[in-house]
Amino acid sequence: MEIVIDPKQLWNQLIAFASEYKLLTSLLLLIVLHFIKKGVLLLIRRISSQRGEDRRNQINILEQLGNAFIIIVLMMVWSSEIQTLAISIAAFMVAIVLATREFIQCFMGFIYYLGARPFRVGDWIQMNTIIGEVVEMDWAKTALLEVDPESFNYTGKHVYVPNSQLVTQTVRNLNFMRRYRLHSFEIVNEPTVNAYSLLPAFHARAQAHCEYFRDVAERYKGLIERHLEQEFIRIDPEVEIKTNELAKVVVKVSLFCPTAEAHELEHKMCSDWLSLWFRAQKEEQTMLMQQQSEHNNANLQASATTEQRSTPSTGM
């Protein structure tokens, strides 16, 4: 005798079982969907690792969508209980909204992120005074790997920012500064020599330090300016000489350079400027000493001539 399985009847039996044993059904669904999600994410990670691609942003979005799907399925299983619970607490909805408004704002911030996409996982951003690389994002928070704003190196600290700040605070995308950035620094000296006389030699040395990455900087400059639709970057170092409120000589250097080598280039250029400065100062001191020596010799010769002229008259 052939056994015929009616799909409709089997489905009705599954629905009846799920309605009668909701707790067991929820547990089974949670386990099955969780392992399916983990398997899919693990497969994507392996494929991206083999191809050498950065798929952290796609993995993060799929993980959040998977969590949302699990929650929706569980809500469908417990829909009647949730509806009864919602009706019973209708009088307390205002209090619940007020108590959970921070979480609601975080969720709205996540919705804003999905719509506007101001950044992606892996980008460098600045939120308030915090600079970091986005490593993870869910509906409640954004996790940043903190970056030192002075050296642009990782500090090793994780910063968790509520998503509500995506709507209420200014968010700056610094992703283009990961490889190259506009770096500026100042050197302060006493006004003992003419700084403008050292400018040609110092500018030549500074340009020589930047020559080895000039081609890459040109390409990266074009990429940034095409994205921002504005030309504002100069490849050659710019040197400006001014004075501060204490009448000191201030040399300001601005250059477009690799982020990882900015401080090394700063140290080299500071060393060049100070070597030129002290050499000029030494030459000026030598010149002053020669002038003083010549002046003293001239005075001695003048006094000797005066004595020679006065000696005969005294003898007479």
Side-chain angles (χ1 to χ4, degrees), residues 74-94:
L74 293 178
M75 290 178 64
M76 291 174 62
V77 173
W78 295 89
S79 58
S80 58
E81 285 77 5
I82 293 175
Q83 183 178 4
T84 304
L85 180 64
I87 294 173
S88 63
I89 64 173
F92 305 99
M93 288 299 294
V94 176

Side-chain angles (χ1 to χ4, degrees), residues 96-111:
I96 292 175
V97 170
L98 291 176
T100 59
R101 63 179 181 178
E102 294 294 334
F103 296 98
I104 295 174
Q105 289 177 356
C106 291
F107 182 74
M108 294 305 297
F110 183 68
I111 297 298

Side-chain angles (χ1 to χ4, degrees), residues 118 124 173 194 210 240 263 291 316:
W124 280 17
N173 193 318
N194 183 10
C210 303
E240 178 185 359
H263 285 273
Q291 292 177 354
M316 292 294 292

Side-chain angles (χ1 to χ4, degrees), residues 227-245:
H227 181 79
L228 300 179
E229 298 181 354
Q230 182 67 39
E231 295 184 2
F232 64 98
I233 299 174
R234 293 189 59 181
I235 299 298
D236 295 328
E238 298 181 10
V239 184
E240 178 185 359
I241 298 177
K242 57 184 180 180
T243 57
N244 58 12
E245 64 276 4

